């Protein structure tokens, strides 16, 4: 877990300088860890008790510009062809923000998918996010990203990726957030030998928590 937290901190530190200087006013942030009860037809064990862990960190400046880094990991031995690690960094801007926890945002990001010993692919992605504050300590959220061109790797070419996550967050105590969500991640590609399109998907419930300020 310490290595995971360190990697997320480095991701945030590398992405913060990209934001414009005018955005560096008031700052709100959150960081935490989660477990992803993931399932996919490419896991060796088709049960839902896969050892999936990850973490996230995000910050908002003046309720306008935001940056978020997320890491999703499963044990390399538990997968056959699906990615065993996904790193995502997004920079977004609120298009509409009537309250802190009710807004629509869009932006650009970067995604890297690792396929075990085969290596990794990465590319730019389009992102969107929305939140709806229900109560003072509760909000519903949804987020999605599309990376249309991630290159090729091994027998895969023309790789692309789509990820969608939706859930609920509650703050039971000051500075503490708990979340439950559903996440779906799709990797599309063309087989180098067959020339046909194929799809690898992993999906499942996300449970986690963190601190916010």
């Amino acid at each position: 877990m310490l290595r995971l937290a360190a990697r997320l901190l480095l991701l945030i530190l590398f992405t913060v300088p990209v934001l414009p200087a005018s955005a560096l006013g008031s700052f709100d942030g959150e960081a935490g860890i989660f477990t992803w009860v993931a399932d996919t037809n490419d896991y060796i064990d088709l049960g839902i008790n896969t050892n999936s862990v990850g973490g996230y960190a995000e910050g908002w400046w003046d309720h306008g510009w935001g940056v978020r880094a997320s890491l999703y990991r499963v044990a390399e031995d538990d997968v056959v062809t699906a990615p065993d690690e996904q790193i995502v960094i997004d920079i977004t801007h609120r298009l509409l923000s009537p309250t802190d926890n009710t807004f629509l945002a869009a932006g650009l990001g970067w995604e890297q998918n690792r396929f075990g010993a085969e290596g990794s692919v990465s590319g730019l992605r389009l992102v969107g996010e929305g939140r709806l504050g229900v109560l003072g300590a509760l909000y519903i959220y949804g987020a999605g990203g599309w990376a249309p061109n991630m290159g090729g790797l091994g027998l895969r070419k023309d790789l692309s990726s789509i990820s969608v996550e939706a859930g609920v967050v509650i703050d039971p105590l000051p500075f503490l957030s708990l979340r439950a969500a559903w996440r779906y991640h799709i990797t599309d590609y063309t087989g180098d030998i067959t020339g046909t399109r194929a799809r690898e998907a992993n999906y499942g419930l996300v449970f986690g928590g963190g601190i916010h300020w």
Side-chain angles (χ1 to χ4, degrees):
M1 286 300 180
L2 291 177
R3 292 179 59 188
L4 175 62
R7 293 183 68 177
L8 286 168
L9 179 59
L10 287 174
L11 290 176
I12 287 292
L13 291 177
F14 278 118
T15 53
V16 166
V18 179
L19 296 175
S22 60
L24 299 179
S26 62
F27 173 79
D28 298 311
E30 182 178 346
I33 58 176
F34 55 78
T35 180
W36 185 19
V37 187
D39 193 13
T40 175
N41 53 6
D42 287 313
Y43 284 130
I44 295 175
D45 180 3
L46 297 181
I48 63 173
N49 295 319
T50 53
N51 184 23
S52 308
V53 297
Y56 65 94
E58 69 176 12
W60 288 97
W61 284 263
D62 282 343
H63 308 296
W65 287 96
V67 59
R68 179 183 176 90
S70 303
L71 172 64
Y72 301 85
R73 303 181 67 182
V74 298
E76 183 178 340
D77 294 338
D78 288 345
V79 295
V80 180
T81 58
D84 60 85
E85 180 180 277
Q86 300 152 22
I87 297 175
V88 175
I89 301 175
D90 297 326
I91 297 177
T92 56
H93 187 267
R94 297 192 186 191
L95 307 176
L96 179 66
S97 183
T99 67
D100 290 351
N101 283 333
T102 298
F103 64 82
L104 290 175
L108 292 174
W110 173 84
E111 178 177 338
Q112 175 180 289
N113 289 343
R114 187 183 70 184
F115 295 83
E118 290 187 74
S120 302
V121 294
S122 61
L124 292 175
R125 69 186 215 136
L126 302 174
V127 295
E129 180 183 359
R131 292 185 188 177
L132 176 62
V134 180
L135 299 172
L138 176 71
Y139 68 83
I140 300 169
Y141 76 94
W146 174 48
N149 184 11
M150 303 183 75
L153 180 68
L155 297 179
R156 306 175 184 87
K157 63 180 183 179
D158 301 327
L159 275 152
S160 63
S161 171
I162 297 175
S163 59
V164 177
E165 184 174 325
V168 60
V169 176
I170 187 170
D171 301 333
L173 295 171
F175 307 108
L176 176 65
S177 295
L178 301 177
R179 66 180 56 226
W182 176 266
R183 185 173 190 271
Y184 200 97
H185 181 266
I186 299 171
T187 303
D188 288 316
Y189 62 92
T190 300
D192 191 36
I193 297 177
T194 63
T196 59
R197 295 293 291 175
R199 170 170 293 181
E200 299 166 352
N202 42 27
Y203 47 89
L205 293 171
V206 176
F207 300 100
I211 58 173
H212 62 87
W213 56 90

